Amino acid sequence: MPRPKRHRRILGKPPIKCFKPDTTSDELIEVTLDEFEAIRLRDYHGIKQKKSAEIMGISQPTFHRIITSARSKIAKALVEGKTIILKGGDYITDKKRYKCLDCQFEWISPKKEYKKCPDCGSENITIIGEDIMPGRIGMQRGRGMRAGPPRACKCIECGYEIPKTPGVPCRSEKCPKCGGIMCAAD
């Protein structure tokens, strides 16, 4: 019997859930939220792999598998001109967060106490919250995610939302305000 999957810690859901190229491709590539968090920590903030794995509450080999998968999916989407959707995965979020007052980097660590920012090394850090959110969030046996189609379509350029037309994918709609590309919004 395989070992149960360990949930990955993420800071929170990304503000944008969809990236669509300026092509007519309808194929979607799903990047899970734990893969997004790994990319955010390692590639965007430049935090070493060992420290990033510690922040996410997973082992370094697991972190490596997650980030390799995420990079492969993003590369495929960029090369083949496919839409990237950010959703799902096995993850939990905490309210106990640290924030660096110098570089504005935020991270989660329920067990270890930090004296320095893992991003810039500054000692000017603060604790944002202390409580751990109960339960899991994500797509674990249908918990935490709303079932069914999205209720609205959101413009990825200006943020304008319109009600979803049943049977019509959001990606085929154009924003009535700026003419931009629409993506599903929950």
Side-chain angles (χ1 to χ4, degrees):
M1 183 170 177
R3 200 173 125 212
K5 201 172 197 179
R6 190 169 183 180
H7 294 284
R8 291 82 192 236
R9 293 191 189 293
I10 66 168
L11 179 66
K13 293 183 179 181
I16 298 171
K17 298 175 187 171
C18 176
F19 295 92
K20 181 164 174 58
D22 192 19
T23 64
T24 57
S25 174
D26 288 338
E27 192 172 338
L28 302 175
I29 294 187
E30 286 189 16
V31 174
T32 61
L33 295 180
D34 55 335
E35 290 171 334
F36 172 79
E37 183 73 358
I39 291 287
R40 186 184 73 81
L41 292 171
R42 179 66 190 106
D43 295 337
Y44 181 72
H45 289 293
I47 298 173
K48 301 283 185 204
Q49 185 170 310
K50 185 176 181 181
K51 187 64 83 174
S52 296
E54 183 181 299
I55 290 171
M56 287 182 69
I58 55 177
S59 70
Q60 192 171 349
T62 299
F63 181 85
H64 180 73
R65 283 190 298 275
I66 292 170
I67 200 158
T68 301
S69 171
R71 287 173 176 162
S72 173
K73 289 176 181 180
I74 292 169
K76 182 177 181 176
L78 291 175
V79 171
E80 297 177 10
K82 298 180 186 208
T83 302
I84 299 172
I85 301 290
L86 303 173
K87 70 177 189 178
D90 295 318
Y91 64 92
I92 57 174
T93 58
D94 291 344
K95 287 187 181 177
K96 180 180 180 180
R97 288 190 288 220
Y98 290 88
K99 182 173 184 174
C100 177
L101 300 175
D102 291 337
C103 70
Q104 304 303 310
F105 175 66
E106 291 184 26
W107 71 98
I108 300 167
S109 181
K111 296 177 184 172
K112 183 178 176 184
E113 295 295 321
Y114 281 86
K115 303 289 183 210
K116 292 183 179 180
C117 172
D119 192 23
C120 70
S122 169
E123 293 182 3
N124 191 12
I125 61 173
T126 185
I127 296 176
I128 297 173
E130 296 268 352
D131 301 327
I132 296 175
M133 290 177 68
R136 289 175 281 211
I137 300 173
M139 294 184 67
Q140 182 76 11
R141 291 189 292 274
R143 294 183 190 173
M145 296 295 283
R146 186 182 59 77
R151 296 183 201 129
C153 297
K154 186 174 185 177
C155 178
I156 61 174
E157 293 177 25
C158 71
Y160 184 75
E161 288 191 25
I162 60 171
K164 170 126 174 45
T165 306
V168 179
C170 289
R171 63 184 176 273
S172 65
E173 299 274 345
K174 295 286 181 193
C175 176
K177 194 173 182 182
C178 71
I181 299 164
M182 305 294 277
C183 278
D186 290 330

